[in-house]
Amino acid sequence: MDNLEYLEKFGNRVDIESLRKLKADKVQMFRTKYQKEYKEIFDIIPSLKEDSNETLETATKLIPWRKGPFQVGELDIDAEWRSDKKWQRLKESLPNLKDKVVLDVGCNNGYYMFEMAKQDPKLVLGIDPVLHNQAQFEFINHFKKYDNLKFELFGIEDLPNFRSFFDVVFSMGVLYHHRHPLEQLISIRESLVPGGEMIMETIGIPGEETICLFPEDRYSKMRNVWFLPTLNCLKNWINRTGFVDMEVVSVSTTNFEEQRQTKWCPPPHQSLQDFLDPKDNTKTVEGYPAPVRFCIKAKKKAHSPIKTF
Ligand SMILES: C[S@@+](CC[C@H](N)C(=O)[O-])C[C@H]1O[C@@H](n2cnc3c(N)ncnc32)[C@H](O)[C@@H]1O
């Protein structure tokens, strides 16, 4: 696995000592799970060859594949999500990523990092605190071989270790899983260089008012959903946390073509059809408004002071 040398050249914009400690703590935290479920997989990945039985076996061991699709030789990994559809919605509105330093918060298996890599960024750091996602990322990148993509098991809460650091931060599908959405926006802002850009993609609820839903318990069967804003509420959060030049990139509803069970994410893993009211797809199974997906881009003010450690 990577050490953190690739961050050293950024000097005092990153708290490298604290990230080293954090990484060591994560290794400890995941030690049992790693030994029991993932050691064999991580060990075999470097020797895999396209279209071999071992490659198919390893991809199969890595089920469920939530984000995709991926093509590895003849192997077509048709994941639960057609993540390419989200990328198509955003692509035209994104800043040019060539030579940029980019963060993808909650990157899952790195599907979007591989798309970003096509533009030749200086670095794309993907953070996601789930070992299964890291194993899928390492599996795919073994074949794609991008040196400028790095995956760390860090979370959004670790972002204060970066100051005036990233040119572009993507936060997609993460804001509503966070108990403190404004804090997340502020840490993203602080981690950006002056004039840097945030791509914020999240689910929310329909409606014109500047309000958000706080589910009583589960939302679409998920326990970890906290604040679901209307589009106007999201714009207000972004405004009031100091971003400028805000632009709504897309407003969409997820359908059964974009999120569904596949053989790479089979039952008992659940998907959209299990989360919506079967008689009325405008509602979740709990009776809340079904989610709407918003994507907004916005910038950190260009004259913001540069903060360092
Ligand atoms: C709904 S998925 C979104 C994945 C991807 N960004 C996308 O848009 O398709 C949420 C992701 O956030 C990750 N996650 C969970 N806790 C997190 C945390 N504290 N910080 C960052 N990511 C987290 C999950 O592992 C998961 O991959």
Side-chain angles (χ1 to χ4, degrees), residues 118-224:
K118 293 177 186 167
Q119 292 187 34
D120 201 16
K122 187 189 281 181
L123 168 70
V124 181
L125 173 61
I127 59 171
D128 198 300
V130 176
L131 200 52
H132 188 79
N133 297 339
Q134 185 177 37
Q136 289 188 349
F137 170 83
E138 296 297 341
F139 173 83
I140 297 295
N141 205 27
H142 167 68
F143 297 100
K144 297 206 182 254
K145 300 189 186 344
Y146 285 115
D147 286 339
N148 53 350
L149 303 188
K150 304 288 177 192
F151 185 114
E152 300 292 348
L153 289 167
F154 301 148
I156 178 74
E157 58 284 356
D158 303 319
L159 213 45
N161 291 300
F162 298 88
R163 288 188 189 153
S164 306
F165 189 90
F166 298 105
D167 299 300
V168 185
V169 174
F170 288 81
S171 167
M172 304 196 289
V174 176
L175 192 69
Y176 56 97
H177 287 314
H178 204 250
R179 286 191 178 94
H180 308 288
L182 298 186
E183 194 178 295
Q184 177 174 154
L185 287 163
I186 291 166
S187 357
I188 291 175
R189 186 194 70 204
E190 290 301 293
S191 76
L192 280 166
V193 296
E197 200 152 335
M198 168 180 75
I199 313 296
M200 172 53 66
E201 198 261 0
T202 180
I203 57 171
I205 52 167
E208 294 303 315
E209 285 175 275
T210 310
I211 56 167
C212 58
L213 169 70
F214 184 74
E216 202 174 327
D217 185 23
R218 295 184 185 208
Y219 177 87
S220 275
K221 296 197 179 169
M222 295 180 280
R223 279 197 181 284
N224 57 350

Side-chain angles (χ1 to χ4, degrees), residues 170-291:
F170 288 81
S171 167
M172 304 196 289
V174 176
L175 192 69
Y176 56 97
H177 287 314
H178 204 250
R179 286 191 178 94
H180 308 288
L182 298 186
E183 194 178 295
Q184 177 174 154
L185 287 163
I186 291 166
S187 357
I188 291 175
R189 186 194 70 204
E190 290 301 293
S191 76
L192 280 166
V193 296
E197 200 152 335
M198 168 180 75
I199 313 296
M200 172 53 66
E201 198 261 0
T202 180
I203 57 171
I205 52 167
E208 294 303 315
E209 285 175 275
T210 310
I211 56 167
C212 58
L213 169 70
F214 184 74
E216 202 174 327
D217 185 23
R218 295 184 185 208
Y219 177 87
S220 275
K221 296 197 179 169
M222 295 180 280
R223 279 197 181 284
N224 57 350
V225 172
W226 305 98
F227 297 93
L228 290 158
T230 61
L231 179 61
N232 282 331
C233 178
L234 178 63
K235 283 164 126 179
N236 204 11
W237 286 350
I238 292 175
N239 248 327
R240 292 187 64 185
T241 47
F243 288 89
V244 294
D245 297 344
M246 183 169 24
E247 200 182 299
V248 178
V249 170
S250 78
V251 176
S252 65
T253 313
T254 305
N255 61 28
F256 296 112
E257 269 174 45
E258 190 167 349
Q259 188 189 11
R260 73 280 189 254
Q261 278 177 341
T262 65
K263 80 173 201 195
W264 292 93
C265 187
H269 303 291
Q270 296 202 323
S271 192
L272 186 62
Q273 84 263 14
D274 306 297
F275 304 148
L276 297 180
D277 179 342
K279 294 197 210 82
D280 178 1
N281 282 345
T282 66
K283 293 207 161 43
T284 68
V285 282
E286 299 84 8
Y288 291 119

Side-chain angles (χ1 to χ4, degrees), residues 64-99:
W65 287 81
R66 293 279 180 194
K67 311 293 172 181
F70 292 104
Q71 188 79 38
V72 175
E74 294 292 302
L75 181 63
D76 178 16
I77 302 178
D78 184 17
E80 179 200 8
W81 280 88
R82 287 282 310 273
S83 308
D84 52 318
K85 289 184 179 282
K86 189 195 285 191
W87 192 248
Q88 285 307 325
R89 289 195 291 272
L90 317 184
K91 208 169 129 189
E92 297 309 316
S93 309
L94 296 181
N96 185 340
L97 301 180
K98 181 154 176 53
D99 294 328

